[in-house]
Amino acid sequence: MKNYIALIIFLFLVSNCQSVAQVSKHDGFWDWFIGKPGVYNSFKILDEPGAGVIVGKRHPYYLWFRTPEIIFNPQGGLYYPDMIVEDREDGKLYNTSEMSDIKDESKRQRIFNNRIALFLKLDMGLIDYLISYRDFIDPNGNLTSCFPFRYVVFPFYPIYSFLNTGKYIYYPIHDVVKTVMIPVAAVYYTVKAFDDNDEEEPEK
C-alpha cells in the first residue's frame, strides 16, 4: 500500500512539472486549456513529434479533462485520428494527414495499418475496443485484424494498455493538476499578451 501511495505522489509531481513546462508550448490560453490530442501530448509536448503522436487539434467535448477518454476517446470522430507514424521498412516518419505524395499503395496501407496499431496501443477508449466502429467506417480501417485483436486479446487489454501508457493512473492526476493550474495559466497568458503587445508597438 505504501508503494502504491508513493507511486501516485511521484506521478503527481512529475505530471505537475510537465504541465508547468508545457504552458509555453501552447498558442494562448484556450489552446492550453483544451490541450493537444493523444496520450503522448498529455505527458510532454515535443518540439519534434515522434511516432504515435496524434496531430491536429484536440476535441473540446470534455474540456481539459482526459479521464473520460479512458472510456470513450472521440478524437477523430468516426475515423482514426491522424498521427505521426514510422514506416517499418524505410524507418522514416510520416504524417498520415499528408499522404498525397505517396503513390505506392502497399506503402500507404502499411503506414495506415501502423497508425491503427498505435492508436489501439496508446489512445483508444474501451468503447473503441468493444465496438471497433472505426474499422468499419474509416476508409483505411483494417477489418482483417480488428476482430482477433479485440476478442482474443480482450482479457489482457487493461493490463496491456496500462503497461504501455499508465493513463489509468496518469489521466486522473493530470486532470486534478490542470484544474488547479487554470488560474496560474490565465495569469501567465494575460501577462504574455501584454508583453507581446508592448513588443509590437513601434518605438517613438
Side-chain angles (χ1 to χ4, degrees), residues 37-43 46 50-55 66-67 69-73 75 80-86 88 113-126 128-129 134 149-150 157-171:
V39 67
Y40 280 165
N41 282 326
S42 72
F43 282 103
L46 302 174
V53 173
I54 295 178
V55 298
R66 291 184 185 262
T67 303
E69 293 183 2
I70 293 172
I71 299 171
F72 178 64
N73 185 354
Q75 193 68 38
Y80 284 102
D82 285 309
M83 276 186 172
I84 304 296
V85 177
E86 181 180 0
R88 293 169 185 167
N113 288 347
N114 288 348
R115 175 190 64 173
I116 293 171
L118 282 169
F119 181 79
L120 299 183
K121 175 182 176 182
L122 300 170
D123 285 291
M124 75 170 173
L126 290 174
D128 278 301
Y129 184 84
R134 297 179 201 256
F149 181 87
R150 285 162 178 74
Y157 170 70
I159 298 173
Y160 175 75
S161 180
F162 171 76
L163 292 175
N164 276 291
T165 65
K167 66 183 179 182
Y168 292 97
I169 291 178
Y170 178 78
Y171 271 6

Short mmCIF file of all heavy atoms in Angstrom, two decimals, residues 37-43 46 50-55 66-67 69-73 75 80-86 88 113-126 128-129 134 149-150 157-171:
data_model
loop_
_atom_site.label_atom_id
_atom_site.label_comp_id
_atom_site.label_asym_id
_atom_site.label_seq_id
_atom_site.Cartn_x
_atom_site.Cartn_y
_atom_site.Cartn_z
N PRO A 37 -3.99 16.72 -28.62
CA PRO A 37 -4.59 15.38 -28.57
C PRO A 37 -3.59 14.28 -28.27
O PRO A 37 -2.40 14.38 -28.58
CB PRO A 37 -5.17 15.22 -29.98
CG PRO A 37 -4.28 16.06 -30.84
CD PRO A 37 -3.93 17.25 -29.99
N GLY A 38 -4.09 13.21 -27.67
CA GLY A 38 -3.30 12.00 -27.50
C GLY A 38 -2.57 11.90 -26.18
O GLY A 38 -2.26 12.89 -25.52
N VAL A 39 -2.29 10.66 -25.81
CA VAL A 39 -1.65 10.40 -24.52
C VAL A 39 -0.23 10.94 -24.47
O VAL A 39 0.21 11.45 -23.44
CB VAL A 39 -1.68 8.89 -24.20
CG1 VAL A 39 -0.80 8.10 -25.16
CG2 VAL A 39 -1.26 8.63 -22.76
N TYR A 40 0.52 10.88 -25.58
CA TYR A 40 1.88 11.41 -25.57
C TYR A 40 1.89 12.91 -25.32
O TYR A 40 2.72 13.42 -24.56
CB TYR A 40 2.58 11.10 -26.89
CG TYR A 40 3.12 9.69 -27.00
CD1 TYR A 40 3.51 9.16 -28.22
CD2 TYR A 40 3.25 8.88 -25.87
CE1 TYR A 40 4.00 7.86 -28.33
CE2 TYR A 40 3.74 7.60 -25.96
CZ TYR A 40 4.12 7.09 -27.19
OH TYR A 40 4.61 5.81 -27.28
N ASN A 41 0.96 13.65 -25.96
CA ASN A 41 0.90 15.10 -25.75
C ASN A 41 0.46 15.46 -24.34
O ASN A 41 0.71 16.57 -23.88
CB ASN A 41 -0.05 15.74 -26.76
CG ASN A 41 0.57 15.88 -28.13
OD1 ASN A 41 1.77 16.10 -28.26
ND2 ASN A 41 -0.23 15.73 -29.17
N SER A 42 -0.22 14.55 -23.65
CA SER A 42 -0.62 14.84 -22.28
C SER A 42 0.56 14.74 -21.33
O SER A 42 0.59 15.40 -20.28
CB SER A 42 -1.73 13.89 -21.83
OG SER A 42 -1.23 12.58 -21.62
N PHE A 43 1.55 13.93 -21.67
CA PHE A 43 2.75 13.82 -20.85
C PHE A 43 3.70 14.99 -21.12
O PHE A 43 4.11 15.70 -20.23
CB PHE A 43 3.49 12.51 -21.15
CG PHE A 43 2.88 11.31 -20.50
CD1 PHE A 43 2.11 10.41 -21.23
CD2 PHE A 43 3.05 11.06 -19.15
CE1 PHE A 43 1.54 9.31 -20.64
CE2 PHE A 43 2.49 9.96 -18.54
CZ PHE A 43 1.73 9.07 -19.29
N LEU A 46 6.55 17.53 -27.46
CA LEU A 46 7.90 17.55 -28.00
C LEU A 46 8.02 18.60 -29.10
O LEU A 46 7.07 18.90 -29.81
CB LEU A 46 8.26 16.17 -28.56
CG LEU A 46 8.19 14.99 -27.57
CD1 LEU A 46 8.43 13.68 -28.31
CD2 LEU A 46 9.19 15.16 -26.44
N GLY A 50 7.22 12.56 -32.39
CA GLY A 50 7.68 11.24 -32.80
C GLY A 50 6.52 10.32 -33.10
O GLY A 50 5.35 10.73 -33.07
N ALA A 51 6.83 9.07 -33.40
CA ALA A 51 5.81 8.09 -33.76
C ALA A 51 4.79 7.93 -32.63
O ALA A 51 5.17 7.82 -31.46
CB ALA A 51 6.47 6.75 -34.08
N GLY A 52 3.52 7.93 -33.00
CA GLY A 52 2.45 7.75 -32.03
C GLY A 52 1.82 9.03 -31.55
O GLY A 52 0.83 9.00 -30.82
N VAL A 53 2.37 10.18 -31.95
CA VAL A 53 1.81 11.47 -31.54
C VAL A 53 0.65 11.82 -32.48
O VAL A 53 0.81 11.84 -33.70
CB VAL A 53 2.87 12.58 -31.58
CG1 VAL A 53 2.23 13.95 -31.33
CG2 VAL A 53 3.95 12.30 -30.55
N ILE A 54 -0.53 12.08 -31.92
CA ILE A 54 -1.69 12.49 -32.71
C ILE A 54 -1.51 13.95 -33.11
O ILE A 54 -1.13 14.79 -32.30
CB ILE A 54 -2.98 12.30 -31.90
CG1 ILE A 54 -3.22 10.82 -31.60
CG2 ILE A 54 -4.18 12.87 -32.66
CD1 ILE A 54 -4.47 10.55 -30.78
N VAL A 55 -1.80 14.25 -34.38
CA VAL A 55 -1.65 15.62 -34.88
C VAL A 55 -3.02 16.28 -34.97
O VAL A 55 -4.06 15.63 -34.91
CB VAL A 55 -0.95 15.62 -36.26
CG1 VAL A 55 0.45 15.04 -36.16
CG2 VAL A 55 -1.77 14.85 -37.29
N ARG A 66 -9.16 14.57 -19.33
CA ARG A 66 -8.76 13.44 -20.18
C ARG A 66 -9.25 12.10 -19.64
O ARG A 66 -9.27 11.12 -20.38
CB ARG A 66 -7.24 13.42 -20.34
CG ARG A 66 -6.71 14.59 -21.15
CD ARG A 66 -5.21 14.47 -21.38
NE ARG A 66 -4.70 15.64 -22.06
CZ ARG A 66 -4.46 15.70 -23.37
NH1 ARG A 66 -4.71 14.66 -24.13
NH2 ARG A 66 -3.97 16.80 -23.91
N THR A 67 -9.64 12.05 -18.39
CA THR A 67 -10.07 10.78 -17.81
C THR A 67 -11.23 10.13 -18.59
O THR A 67 -11.22 8.91 -18.77
CB THR A 67 -10.47 10.97 -16.33
OG1 THR A 67 -9.35 11.52 -15.61
CG2 THR A 67 -10.86 9.65 -15.70
N GLU A 69 -11.62 9.90 -21.60
CA GLU A 69 -11.09 9.24 -22.80
C GLU A 69 -10.72 7.79 -22.54
O GLU A 69 -10.54 7.02 -23.48
CB GLU A 69 -9.89 10.01 -23.33
CG GLU A 69 -10.26 11.38 -23.88
CD GLU A 69 -9.08 12.12 -24.47
OE1 GLU A 69 -7.96 11.55 -24.49
OE2 GLU A 69 -9.27 13.26 -24.92
N ILE A 70 -10.58 7.43 -21.27
CA ILE A 70 -10.33 6.01 -20.95
C ILE A 70 -11.52 5.17 -21.37
O ILE A 70 -11.38 4.03 -21.82
CB ILE A 70 -10.07 5.85 -19.44
CG1 ILE A 70 -8.74 6.54 -19.06
CG2 ILE A 70 -10.03 4.38 -19.04
CD1 ILE A 70 -8.49 6.60 -17.58
N ILE A 71 -12.72 5.73 -21.27
CA ILE A 71 -13.94 5.01 -21.67
C ILE A 71 -14.25 5.26 -23.14
O ILE A 71 -14.50 4.33 -23.90
CB ILE A 71 -15.13 5.44 -20.79
CG1 ILE A 71 -14.84 5.12 -19.33
CG2 ILE A 71 -16.41 4.77 -21.27
CD1 ILE A 71 -15.83 5.68 -18.35
N PHE A 72 -14.21 6.52 -23.54
CA PHE A 72 -14.54 6.85 -24.93
C PHE A 72 -13.65 7.98 -25.40
O PHE A 72 -13.67 9.06 -24.85
CB PHE A 72 -16.02 7.26 -25.04
CG PHE A 72 -16.41 7.65 -26.44
CD1 PHE A 72 -16.37 6.71 -27.45
CD2 PHE A 72 -16.82 8.93 -26.73
CE1 PHE A 72 -16.74 7.07 -28.75
CE2 PHE A 72 -17.19 9.30 -28.02
CZ PHE A 72 -17.15 8.35 -29.03
N ASN A 73 -12.87 7.72 -26.43
CA ASN A 73 -11.99 8.73 -27.00
C ASN A 73 -12.57 9.19 -28.34
O ASN A 73 -12.45 8.48 -29.33
CB ASN A 73 -10.59 8.17 -27.20
CG ASN A 73 -9.61 9.23 -27.69
OD1 ASN A 73 -9.99 10.36 -27.97
ND2 ASN A 73 -8.35 8.87 -27.78
N GLN A 75 -11.56 11.44 -30.31
CA GLN A 75 -10.61 12.04 -31.24
C GLN A 75 -10.69 11.36 -32.61
O GLN A 75 -10.60 10.14 -32.71
CB GLN A 75 -9.18 11.91 -30.68
CG GLN A 75 -8.16 12.77 -31.40
CD GLN A 75 -8.40 14.25 -31.15
OE1 GLN A 75 -8.77 14.65 -30.06
NE2 GLN A 75 -8.19 15.06 -32.17
N TYR A 80 -10.09 7.05 -37.63
CA TYR A 80 -8.87 7.08 -36.82
C TYR A 80 -8.23 8.46 -36.93
O TYR A 80 -8.14 9.01 -38.04
CB TYR A 80 -7.89 6.01 -37.29
CG TYR A 80 -8.27 4.61 -36.86
CD1 TYR A 80 -8.86 3.72 -37.75
CD2 TYR A 80 -8.06 4.20 -35.56
CE1 TYR A 80 -9.22 2.44 -37.36
CE2 TYR A 80 -8.41 2.92 -35.15
CZ TYR A 80 -8.99 2.05 -36.05
OH TYR A 80 -9.37 0.79 -35.65
N PRO A 81 -7.77 9.04 -35.84
CA PRO A 81 -7.14 10.37 -35.92
C PRO A 81 -5.79 10.29 -36.64
O PRO A 81 -5.12 9.25 -36.62
CB PRO A 81 -6.96 10.76 -34.44
CG PRO A 81 -6.90 9.46 -33.71
CD PRO A 81 -7.81 8.53 -34.46
N ASP A 82 -5.41 11.38 -37.29
CA ASP A 82 -4.11 11.41 -37.96
C ASP A 82 -2.99 11.39 -36.94
O ASP A 82 -3.10 11.99 -35.86
CB ASP A 82 -4.01 12.66 -38.85
CG ASP A 82 -4.83 12.51 -40.12
OD1 ASP A 82 -4.67 11.49 -40.80
OD2 ASP A 82 -5.64 13.41 -40.40
N MET A 83 -1.92 10.71 -37.30
CA MET A 83 -0.79 10.52 -36.40
C MET A 83 0.53 10.65 -37.15
O MET A 83 0.58 10.56 -38.37
CB MET A 83 -0.81 9.11 -35.80
CG MET A 83 -1.65 8.88 -34.60
SD MET A 83 -1.39 7.20 -33.98
CE MET A 83 -2.30 7.28 -32.46
N ILE A 84 1.58 10.83 -36.37
CA ILE A 84 2.93 10.65 -36.88
C ILE A 84 3.24 9.17 -36.76
O ILE A 84 3.11 8.58 -35.68
CB ILE A 84 3.96 11.46 -36.07
CG1 ILE A 84 3.57 12.94 -36.06
CG2 ILE A 84 5.36 11.26 -36.64
CD1 ILE A 84 3.58 13.61 -37.40
N VAL A 85 3.62 8.55 -37.88
CA VAL A 85 3.82 7.10 -37.92
C VAL A 85 5.15 6.78 -38.56
O VAL A 85 5.55 7.43 -39.54
CB VAL A 85 2.68 6.42 -38.74
CG1 VAL A 85 2.92 4.92 -38.86
CG2 VAL A 85 1.33 6.68 -38.08
N GLU A 86 5.84 5.79 -38.02
CA GLU A 86 7.09 5.33 -38.63
C GLU A 86 6.82 4.15 -39.55
O GLU A 86 6.14 3.19 -39.16
CB GLU A 86 8.09 4.91 -37.55
CG GLU A 86 9.42 4.45 -38.11
CD GLU A 86 10.41 4.04 -37.04
OE1 GLU A 86 10.06 4.11 -35.84
OE2 GLU A 86 11.53 3.64 -37.40
N ARG A 88 7.91 0.89 -41.06
CA ARG A 88 8.85 -0.12 -40.57
C ARG A 88 9.87 -0.54 -41.61
O ARG A 88 10.91 -1.11 -41.28
CB ARG A 88 8.08 -1.34 -40.07
CG ARG A 88 7.25 -1.03 -38.83
CD ARG A 88 6.29 -2.13 -38.49
NE ARG A 88 5.43 -1.77 -37.36
CZ ARG A 88 4.35 -2.43 -37.01
NH1 ARG A 88 3.97 -3.49 -37.70
NH2 ARG A 88 3.64 -2.03 -35.97
N ASN A 113 -1.99 1.12 -41.47
CA ASN A 113 -2.11 -0.01 -40.53
C ASN A 113 -1.28 0.25 -39.28
O ASN A 113 -1.69 -0.10 -38.16
CB ASN A 113 -1.68 -1.31 -41.20
CG ASN A 113 -2.69 -1.80 -42.22
OD1 ASN A 113 -3.81 -1.32 -42.27
ND2 ASN A 113 -2.29 -2.75 -43.04
N ASN A 114 -0.10 0.85 -39.46
CA ASN A 114 0.73 1.20 -38.30
C ASN A 114 0.03 2.24 -37.44
O ASN A 114 0.12 2.21 -36.20
CB ASN A 114 2.09 1.73 -38.75
CG ASN A 114 2.98 0.63 -39.32
OD1 ASN A 114 2.68 -0.56 -39.18
ND2 ASN A 114 4.06 1.01 -39.96
N ARG A 115 -0.66 3.18 -38.09
CA ARG A 115 -1.42 4.18 -37.33
C ARG A 115 -2.50 3.51 -36.49
O ARG A 115 -2.69 3.85 -35.31
CB ARG A 115 -2.06 5.19 -38.28
CG ARG A 115 -2.96 6.19 -37.56
CD ARG A 115 -3.78 7.01 -38.51
NE ARG A 115 -4.72 6.22 -39.28
CZ ARG A 115 -5.63 6.74 -40.09
NH1 ARG A 115 -5.71 8.05 -40.24
NH2 ARG A 115 -6.45 5.97 -40.76
N ILE A 116 -3.20 2.57 -37.07
CA ILE A 116 -4.25 1.86 -36.34
C ILE A 116 -3.66 1.13 -35.13
O ILE A 116 -4.18 1.20 -34.02
CB ILE A 116 -4.98 0.86 -37.27
CG1 ILE A 116 -5.77 1.63 -38.34
CG2 ILE A 116 -5.92 -0.04 -36.47
CD1 ILE A 116 -6.33 0.75 -39.43
N ALA A 117 -2.54 0.45 -35.35
CA ALA A 117 -1.89 -0.30 -34.27
C ALA A 117 -1.47 0.64 -33.14
O ALA A 117 -1.64 0.31 -31.95
CB ALA A 117 -0.70 -1.07 -34.81
N LEU A 118 -0.93 1.81 -33.49
CA LEU A 118 -0.51 2.76 -32.47
C LEU A 118 -1.70 3.31 -31.70
O LEU A 118 -1.64 3.49 -30.48
CB LEU A 118 0.28 3.91 -33.11
CG LEU A 118 1.72 3.61 -33.47
CD1 LEU A 118 2.31 4.72 -34.34
CD2 LEU A 118 2.57 3.42 -32.22
N PHE A 119 -2.79 3.60 -32.41
CA PHE A 119 -3.98 4.11 -31.73
C PHE A 119 -4.54 3.08 -30.76
O PHE A 119 -4.91 3.40 -29.63
CB PHE A 119 -5.04 4.51 -32.76
CG PHE A 119 -6.28 5.08 -32.13
CD1 PHE A 119 -6.31 6.38 -31.69
CD2 PHE A 119 -7.42 4.30 -31.96
CE1 PHE A 119 -7.46 6.92 -31.09
CE2 PHE A 119 -8.56 4.81 -31.37
CZ PHE A 119 -8.59 6.12 -30.94
N LEU A 120 -4.61 1.82 -31.21
CA LEU A 120 -5.12 0.76 -30.34
C LEU A 120 -4.22 0.58 -29.12
O LEU A 120 -4.70 0.32 -28.02
CB LEU A 120 -5.21 -0.56 -31.11
CG LEU A 120 -6.13 -0.60 -32.33
CD1 LEU A 120 -6.15 -1.99 -32.93
CD2 LEU A 120 -7.53 -0.16 -31.97
N LYS A 121 -2.94 0.72 -29.32
CA LYS A 121 -1.98 0.52 -28.24
C LYS A 121 -1.99 1.66 -27.23
O LYS A 121 -1.86 1.43 -26.02
CB LYS A 121 -0.58 0.38 -28.85
CG LYS A 121 0.56 0.27 -27.86
CD LYS A 121 1.87 0.18 -28.61
CE LYS A 121 3.06 0.15 -27.68
NZ LYS A 121 4.35 0.11 -28.42
N LEU A 122 -2.19 2.89 -27.71
CA LEU A 122 -1.98 4.05 -26.85
C LEU A 122 -3.25 4.80 -26.46
O LEU A 122 -3.40 5.22 -25.31
CB LEU A 122 -1.03 5.04 -27.55
CG LEU A 122 0.36 4.53 -27.90
CD1 LEU A 122 1.07 5.56 -28.79
CD2 LEU A 122 1.17 4.27 -26.64
N ASP A 123 -4.14 5.02 -27.40
CA ASP A 123 -5.16 6.05 -27.21
C ASP A 123 -6.60 5.60 -27.24
O ASP A 123 -7.48 6.38 -26.89
CB ASP A 123 -4.97 7.15 -28.26
CG ASP A 123 -3.78 8.04 -27.96
OD1 ASP A 123 -3.86 8.79 -26.97
OD2 ASP A 123 -2.77 7.97 -28.67
N MET A 124 -6.89 4.41 -27.69
CA MET A 124 -8.30 4.07 -27.83
C MET A 124 -8.98 3.93 -26.47
O MET A 124 -8.36 3.58 -25.47
CB MET A 124 -8.48 2.78 -28.62
CG MET A 124 -8.16 1.51 -27.87
SD MET A 124 -8.70 0.09 -28.83
CE MET A 124 -8.02 -1.23 -27.84
N GLY A 125 -10.29 4.26 -26.47
CA GLY A 125 -11.09 4.06 -25.27
C GLY A 125 -11.68 2.66 -25.26
O GLY A 125 -11.61 1.93 -26.24
N LEU A 126 -12.28 2.30 -24.13
CA LEU A 126 -12.85 0.96 -24.01
C LEU A 126 -14.00 0.73 -24.99
O LEU A 126 -14.19 -0.38 -25.48
CB LEU A 126 -13.33 0.73 -22.57
CG LEU A 126 -12.21 0.61 -21.53
CD1 LEU A 126 -12.80 0.54 -20.13
CD2 LEU A 126 -11.35 -0.61 -21.80
N ASP A 128 -14.18 2.05 -28.02
CA ASP A 128 -13.48 1.75 -29.27
C ASP A 128 -13.14 0.27 -29.33
O ASP A 128 -13.28 -0.38 -30.37
CB ASP A 128 -12.17 2.53 -29.35
CG ASP A 128 -12.36 3.95 -29.85
OD1 ASP A 128 -12.87 4.11 -30.96
OD2 ASP A 128 -11.99 4.88 -29.12
N TYR A 129 -12.65 -0.22 -28.22
CA TYR A 129 -12.17 -1.61 -28.17
C TYR A 129 -13.33 -2.60 -28.33
O TYR A 129 -13.23 -3.58 -29.07
CB TYR A 129 -11.46 -1.84 -26.84
CG TYR A 129 -10.84 -3.21 -26.73
CD1 TYR A 129 -9.59 -3.46 -27.26
CD2 TYR A 129 -11.52 -4.24 -26.10
CE1 TYR A 129 -9.04 -4.73 -27.16
CE2 TYR A 129 -10.97 -5.50 -26.00
CZ TYR A 129 -9.71 -5.74 -26.53
OH TYR A 129 -9.18 -6.99 -26.45
N ARG A 134 -14.56 2.16 -35.80
CA ARG A 134 -13.68 2.88 -36.72
C ARG A 134 -13.23 1.98 -37.87
O ARG A 134 -13.04 2.45 -38.99
CB ARG A 134 -12.46 3.43 -35.99
CG ARG A 134 -12.79 4.47 -34.91
CD ARG A 134 -11.53 4.95 -34.22
NE ARG A 134 -11.81 5.53 -32.92
CZ ARG A 134 -11.82 6.83 -32.66
NH1 ARG A 134 -11.59 7.70 -33.63
NH2 ARG A 134 -12.07 7.28 -31.44
N PHE A 149 -7.76 -9.08 -32.63
CA PHE A 149 -7.11 -8.30 -31.58
C PHE A 149 -8.04 -8.05 -30.41
O PHE A 149 -7.69 -8.26 -29.26
CB PHE A 149 -6.62 -6.96 -32.15
CG PHE A 149 -5.90 -6.11 -31.13
CD1 PHE A 149 -4.56 -6.27 -30.91
CD2 PHE A 149 -6.59 -5.18 -30.36
CE1 PHE A 149 -3.90 -5.52 -29.95
CE2 PHE A 149 -5.95 -4.42 -29.41
CZ PHE A 149 -4.59 -4.59 -29.21
N ARG A 150 -9.26 -7.61 -30.70
CA ARG A 150 -10.14 -7.22 -29.62
C ARG A 150 -10.68 -8.40 -28.84
O ARG A 150 -10.80 -8.36 -27.62
CB ARG A 150 -11.30 -6.40 -30.19
CG ARG A 150 -10.89 -4.99 -30.56
CD ARG A 150 -11.90 -4.36 -31.49
NE ARG A 150 -11.56 -3.00 -31.84
CZ ARG A 150 -10.60 -2.66 -32.67
NH1 ARG A 150 -9.85 -3.59 -33.23
NH2 ARG A 150 -10.35 -1.41 -32.95
N TYR A 157 -6.39 -6.72 -22.20
CA TYR A 157 -6.26 -5.35 -22.69
C TYR A 157 -6.01 -4.32 -21.58
O TYR A 157 -5.12 -3.48 -21.73
CB TYR A 157 -7.49 -4.93 -23.50
CG TYR A 157 -7.48 -3.45 -23.78
CD1 TYR A 157 -6.56 -2.91 -24.66
CD2 TYR A 157 -8.36 -2.59 -23.11
CE1 TYR A 157 -6.52 -1.55 -24.90
CE2 TYR A 157 -8.32 -1.23 -23.34
CZ TYR A 157 -7.40 -0.72 -24.23
OH TYR A 157 -7.35 0.62 -24.45
N PRO A 158 -6.74 -4.32 -20.47
CA PRO A 158 -6.47 -3.30 -19.45
C PRO A 158 -5.02 -3.32 -18.95
O PRO A 158 -4.41 -2.27 -18.75
CB PRO A 158 -7.46 -3.66 -18.33
CG PRO A 158 -8.56 -4.36 -19.03
CD PRO A 158 -7.89 -5.16 -20.11
N ILE A 159 -4.46 -4.52 -18.77
CA ILE A 159 -3.06 -4.62 -18.32
C ILE A 159 -2.14 -4.14 -19.42
O ILE A 159 -1.18 -3.40 -19.18
CB ILE A 159 -2.73 -6.08 -17.92
CG1 ILE A 159 -3.62 -6.51 -16.75
CG2 ILE A 159 -1.26 -6.22 -17.58
CD1 ILE A 159 -3.49 -7.97 -16.39
N TYR A 160 -2.42 -4.58 -20.65
CA TYR A 160 -1.59 -4.20 -21.80
C TYR A 160 -1.55 -2.69 -21.97
O TYR A 160 -0.48 -2.09 -22.15
CB TYR A 160 -2.18 -4.88 -23.04
CG TYR A 160 -1.52 -4.51 -24.35
CD1 TYR A 160 -0.28 -5.04 -24.69
CD2 TYR A 160 -2.15 -3.66 -25.24
CE1 TYR A 160 0.32 -4.72 -25.89
CE2 TYR A 160 -1.56 -3.34 -26.45
CZ TYR A 160 -0.32 -3.87 -26.77
OH TYR A 160 0.27 -3.55 -27.96
N SER A 161 -2.71 -2.05 -21.90
CA SER A 161 -2.78 -0.60 -22.07
C SER A 161 -2.08 0.12 -20.92
O SER A 161 -1.39 1.11 -21.13
CB SER A 161 -4.23 -0.16 -22.17
OG SER A 161 -4.32 1.23 -22.32
N PHE A 162 -2.26 -0.38 -19.70
CA PHE A 162 -1.63 0.27 -18.56
C PHE A 162 -0.11 0.22 -18.66
O PHE A 162 0.58 1.22 -18.42
CB PHE A 162 -2.06 -0.40 -17.25
CG PHE A 162 -1.27 0.09 -16.07
CD1 PHE A 162 -1.52 1.33 -15.52
CD2 PHE A 162 -0.26 -0.69 -15.52
CE1 PHE A 162 -0.78 1.78 -14.44
CE2 PHE A 162 0.48 -0.24 -14.44
CZ PHE A 162 0.22 1.01 -13.90
N LEU A 163 0.43 -0.92 -19.05
CA LEU A 163 1.88 -1.06 -19.16
C LEU A 163 2.45 -0.15 -20.24
O LEU A 163 3.59 0.31 -20.14
CB LEU A 163 2.25 -2.52 -19.45
CG LEU A 163 1.99 -3.51 -18.31
CD1 LEU A 163 2.28 -4.93 -18.76
CD2 LEU A 163 2.81 -3.16 -17.07
N ASN A 164 1.67 0.12 -21.28
CA ASN A 164 2.16 0.96 -22.36
C ASN A 164 2.06 2.44 -22.06
O ASN A 164 2.91 3.21 -22.52
CB ASN A 164 1.39 0.65 -23.65
CG ASN A 164 1.97 -0.54 -24.39
OD1 ASN A 164 3.06 -0.47 -24.93
ND2 ASN A 164 1.26 -1.64 -24.38
N THR A 165 1.06 2.87 -21.34
CA THR A 165 0.86 4.30 -21.16
C THR A 165 0.68 4.73 -19.70
O THR A 165 0.99 5.86 -19.36
CB THR A 165 -0.38 4.78 -21.93
OG1 THR A 165 -1.55 4.15 -21.37
CG2 THR A 165 -0.28 4.41 -23.41
N GLY A 166 0.15 3.87 -18.85
CA GLY A 166 -0.14 4.26 -17.48
C GLY A 166 -1.26 5.28 -17.39
O GLY A 166 -1.43 5.94 -16.35
N LYS A 167 -2.06 5.44 -18.46
CA LYS A 167 -3.05 6.52 -18.47
C LYS A 167 -4.16 6.31 -17.45
O LYS A 167 -4.82 7.27 -17.06
CB LYS A 167 -3.64 6.70 -19.86
CG LYS A 167 -4.46 5.54 -20.38
CD LYS A 167 -4.92 5.82 -21.81
CE LYS A 167 -5.73 4.66 -22.36
NZ LYS A 167 -6.14 4.90 -23.77
N TYR A 168 -4.37 5.08 -16.99
CA TYR A 168 -5.43 4.84 -16.00
C TYR A 168 -5.12 5.53 -14.68
O TYR A 168 -6.02 5.88 -13.93
CB TYR A 168 -5.61 3.34 -15.77
CG TYR A 168 -6.19 2.63 -16.98
CD1 TYR A 168 -5.36 1.98 -17.87
CD2 TYR A 168 -7.55 2.66 -17.23
CE1 TYR A 168 -5.88 1.34 -18.99
CE2 TYR A 168 -8.08 2.03 -18.34
CZ TYR A 168 -7.23 1.38 -19.22
OH TYR A 168 -7.75 0.78 -20.33
N ILE A 169 -3.84 5.71 -14.39
CA ILE A 169 -3.43 6.47 -13.20
C ILE A 169 -3.12 7.91 -13.58
O ILE A 169 -3.51 8.85 -12.88
CB ILE A 169 -2.20 5.82 -12.54
CG1 ILE A 169 -2.59 4.48 -11.92
CG2 ILE A 169 -1.60 6.74 -11.48
CD1 ILE A 169 -1.45 3.74 -11.28
N TYR A 170 -2.43 8.09 -14.71
CA TYR A 170 -1.95 9.42 -15.06
C TYR A 170 -3.07 10.39 -15.41
O TYR A 170 -3.04 11.55 -14.99
CB TYR A 170 -0.96 9.33 -16.22
CG TYR A 170 -0.46 10.68 -16.65
CD1 TYR A 170 0.53 11.34 -15.91
CD2 TYR A 170 -0.99 11.35 -17.75
CE1 TYR A 170 0.97 12.59 -16.27
CE2 TYR A 170 -0.55 12.60 -18.12
CZ TYR A 170 0.44 13.21 -17.38
OH TYR A 170 0.88 14.46 -17.73
N TYR A 171 -4.07 9.94 -16.16
CA TYR A 171 -5.12 10.86 -16.61
C TYR A 171 -5.87 11.51 -15.45
O TYR A 171 -6.08 12.73 -15.46
CB TYR A 171 -6.10 10.14 -17.54
CG TYR A 171 -5.69 10.18 -19.01
CD1 TYR A 171 -4.47 10.71 -19.41
CD2 TYR A 171 -6.54 9.69 -19.99
CE1 TYR A 171 -4.11 10.75 -20.74
CE2 TYR A 171 -6.18 9.73 -21.34
CZ TYR A 171 -4.97 10.26 -21.70
OH TYR A 171 -4.61 10.32 -23.03
#
